[in-house]
Structures are given as structure tokens and as C-alpha cells.
Amino acid sequence: MGRDKGLMPFKGKPLIQYVIEQLMPAVKSIVLVANNQEYKDFGLEVIGDYIKDIGPAGGIYTALRHTDASCNFIVGCDMPFVTTAAVEFIIQSSVQSQITLPVYHQTIEPLFGIYTKECSTKWHELVQQNIVKLNDMITYFKLQKLNMDNNELFSANLFRNINTQHDFANALNK
């Protein structure tokens, strides 16, 4: 997009503000993984990527290395349609797996789910092997897939993320 997506104004506030507002009632604490210090304006802890320039794989690794929590809800900063109810559903449905992710219309959503701290070491090993595509990485873990096709809390719009100007324009019309 040529600029920091999470800080882009969307319907009157930064994209990430929508995510923060929906996470706050569902989780104990929020830590933002971002290399841009402007994120400190949200009054939350901000940490920079431990491994830069590998996209979401680096952000997830940073979050897992940094956290003291055994289970961590990971979500992209560019998903303005997430809901507290959907976050809570994933958290409550996570049982005895290293990663818990929703599957919507046969698509795994790796940027909306639970990652346990125990994934950290193996995650780092995968990065060192240059395996950084999330859909490839998650296959190395005990993965719980939750089919959300018939769950009224989930829709394609919930998983809509903003990657291009076209995505941004389409999202504004939702």
C-alpha cells in the first residue's frame, strides 16, 4: 500500500483502532508488534519485530517471544471488521492444540487465532529455514481447525483485510 496500513484513516479512525476496540473486552492485555513508534499513540505496549522484513511470520514470532502468556490471540492490524464475539469464540474453542484457527469456506485464516507460546522455538527454526508463508508454517504444529461456515458470528467480511487500494475502497463500502 506504500504506507503503514494500520494507521490509515478508515471511516474516521485508524484501521488498527477497530481491532483494538474489539480485542479490549476479550483479552487481558494487548501488545502491538510494529516498527513504527506512532503506534504508541494508542497507549499500548509496542514492540518492534525481532526479525524484520518477513511479514506476518516475523510479527507472530516477536509476539510469541515477547509474551509471558501461554495462549495468545493473534490478529492482523488491517482487519477492521473483527468482532469481540468472534474473538471470544475462538478463545473459548481452543483446546489442547498449539495453534487454533478458523476455517471459512475452506480457507484457513492464520491471522485470526490462538498461538501458544510453546510455538516460539519451532517458529524460529522455520524462519531460519526460510519457511515464512503462514499457511506453510502452521502445518508444523498441532493445529486445531474450527469450521466457521455455519457459525453466524463469522462471515467473509470479518476476515477481510486491507492489502491494496482496491481492498481499501471496497471495505469503505461495507
Side-chain angles (χ1 to χ4, degrees), residues 5 76 78-81 109 111 156-164 167-168 171:
K5 293 188 294 183
D78 60 349
M79 298 172 67
F81 302 112
E109 300 293 343
L111 286 176
N157 212 36
L158 184 133
F159 300 114
R160 180 184 303 271
N161 60 349
I162 312 292
N163 290 317
T164 66
D167 293 343
F168 188 77

Side-chain angles (χ1 to χ4, degrees), residues 46-76:
V46 178
I47 53 173
D49 282 320
Y50 293 164
I51 303 172
K52 296 186 184 334
D53 302 322
I54 60 169
I60 292 172
Y61 173 70
T62 300
L64 295 177
R65 279 291 307 275
H66 177 77
T67 187
D68 290 328
S70 59
C71 291
N72 303 276
F73 191 86
I74 304 285
V75 63

Side-chain angles (χ1 to χ4, degrees), residues 14-60:
L15 271 174
I16 196 162
Q17 187 67 42
Y18 292 92
V19 177
I20 292 168
E21 289 170 1
Q22 295 303 309
L23 283 176
M24 285 188 127
V27 300
K28 290 181 184 170
S29 66
I30 298 173
V31 175
L32 304 177
V33 177
N35 296 314
N36 183 336
Q37 292 305 302
E38 287 181 55
Y39 282 94
K40 288 188 176 188
D41 293 346
F42 295 97
L44 299 168
E45 182 179 4
V46 178
I47 53 173
D49 282 320
Y50 293 164
I51 303 172
K52 296 186 184 334
D53 302 322
I54 60 169
I60 292 172

Side-chain angles (χ1 to χ4, degrees), residues 4-162:
D4 197 320
K5 293 188 294 183
L7 297 175
M8 288 178 60
F10 180 78
K11 297 183 180 184
K13 54 188 167 185
L15 271 174
I16 196 162
Q17 187 67 42
Y18 292 92
V19 177
I20 292 168
E21 289 170 1
Q22 295 303 309
L23 283 176
M24 285 188 127
V27 300
K28 290 181 184 170
S29 66
I30 298 173
V31 175
L32 304 177
V33 177
N35 296 314
N36 183 336
Q37 292 305 302
E38 287 181 55
Y39 282 94
K40 288 188 176 188
D41 293 346
F42 295 97
L44 299 168
E45 182 179 4
V46 178
I47 53 173
D49 282 320
Y50 293 164
I51 303 172
K52 296 186 184 334
D53 302 322
I54 60 169
I60 292 172
Y61 173 70
T62 300
L64 295 177
R65 279 291 307 275
H66 177 77
T67 187
D68 290 328
S70 59
C71 291
N72 303 276
F73 191 86
I74 304 285
V75 63
C77 72
D78 60 349
M79 298 172 67
F81 302 112
V82 302
T83 66
T84 301
V87 171
E88 289 173 337
F89 183 87
I90 298 295
I91 292 169
Q92 292 165 1
S93 299
S94 177
V95 281
Q96 299 182 354
S97 58
Q98 294 174 306
I99 300 173
T100 301
L101 299 173
V103 178
Y104 189 76
H105 293 302
Q106 299 171 348
T107 301
I108 295 174
E109 300 293 343
L111 286 176
F112 191 85
I114 298 290
Y115 289 77
T116 61
K117 179 147 179 84
E118 72 180 274
C119 295
S120 175
T121 301
K122 180 68 174 176
W123 201 268
H124 188 251
E125 290 170 10
L126 293 170
V127 168
Q128 289 178 320
Q129 296 169 35
N130 204 30
I131 300 170
V132 294
K133 269 188 72 183
L134 296 184
N135 283 332
D136 294 339
M137 296 178 87
I138 62 175
T139 65
Y140 290 86
F141 298 90
K142 184 177 178 189
L143 175 62
Q144 178 185 7
K145 296 187 253 183
L146 303 172
N147 186 332
M148 296 296 118
D149 288 350
N150 297 314
N151 187 320
E152 63 188 28
L153 296 176
F154 294 83
S155 68
N157 212 36
L158 184 133
F159 300 114
R160 180 184 303 271
N161 60 349
I162 312 292

